Amino acid sequence: EDQVTQSPEALRLQEGESSSLNCSYTVSGLRGLFWYRQDPGKGPEFLFTLYSAGEEKEKERLKATLTKKESFLHITAPKPEDSATYLCAVQIFGETSGSRLTFGEGTQLTVNP
Amino acid sequence: DTGVSQDPRHKITKRGQNVTFRCDPISEHNRLYWYRQTLGQGPEFLTYFQNEAQLEKSRLLSDRFSAERPKGSFSTLEIQRTEQGDSAMYLCASSPSTAAYEQYFGPGTRLTVT
């Protein structure tokens, strides 16, 4: 069964303290790995898609990387406005899977000023 | 605003009542998805439309749940005979055929069943 596990569940950082969030996955055939940001009471906001091992993407203070078993979301010099839940999701190949995303449970990030 | 919109944003209903939610996707997107999210969990896939055709349904989608997308534009999700376990955030997402893997989410409808 396809599985996505995110760690840690919660992370508290001081402003400017860089860190990484982890997403490990066990799937039959990865089509793409997605990172989303979700603020309380809102829908997930798309951040990145990664398709193959070794791929990296950056946006402002965020950088996502992908290996064959996991993805990391690196946050450099975070600010309080980066506080949110970060969700990882996978999409797999296969006729029965369609285009569904399978999500992890998320990492709740809090950045203190 | 040209993003995905959902209506209503909040719904409180009594157990046993029927509820219907609406989703308007981004205008040029032909794929539409419904997910359900409970507190502290990631979204769970419910169903998927390509244009007006419902191509996939999760086993989470019991007989009490039905979704439609009659003209390939907006979609509705109906829950009949609601139960307390149906309390959740119901999220709609859409994606274009040209970049079908990237799904863009709406703000969600928060359902509370009392």
Side-chain angles (χ1 to χ4, degrees), chain A residues 34 36 96-97 99-100, chain B residues 31 35 37 41 56 101 103:
Chain A
F34 301 76
Y36 285 84
T96 58
S97 65
S99 296
R100 69 167 68 186
Chain B
R31 298 185 181 206
Y35 291 82
Q37 185 177 27
Q41 303 294 313
E56 190 174 359
Y101 311 145
Q103 298 179 18

Side-chain angles (χ1 to χ4, degrees), chain A residues 63-78:
Chain A
K63 179 180 176 180
T65 62
L66 181 66
T67 72
K68 289 186 178 180
K69 294 183 178 180
E70 57 191 349
S71 177
F72 293 94
L73 185 66
H74 307 278
I75 303 177
T76 303

Side-chain angles (χ1 to χ4, degrees), chain A residues 4 25 27 30 32-34 88-92 100-103:
Chain A
V4 180
Y25 60 91
V27 299
L30 182 71
L33 186 139
F34 301 76
C88 167
V90 298
Q91 194 174 62
I92 66 170
R100 69 167 68 186
L101 295 177
T102 301
F103 282 85

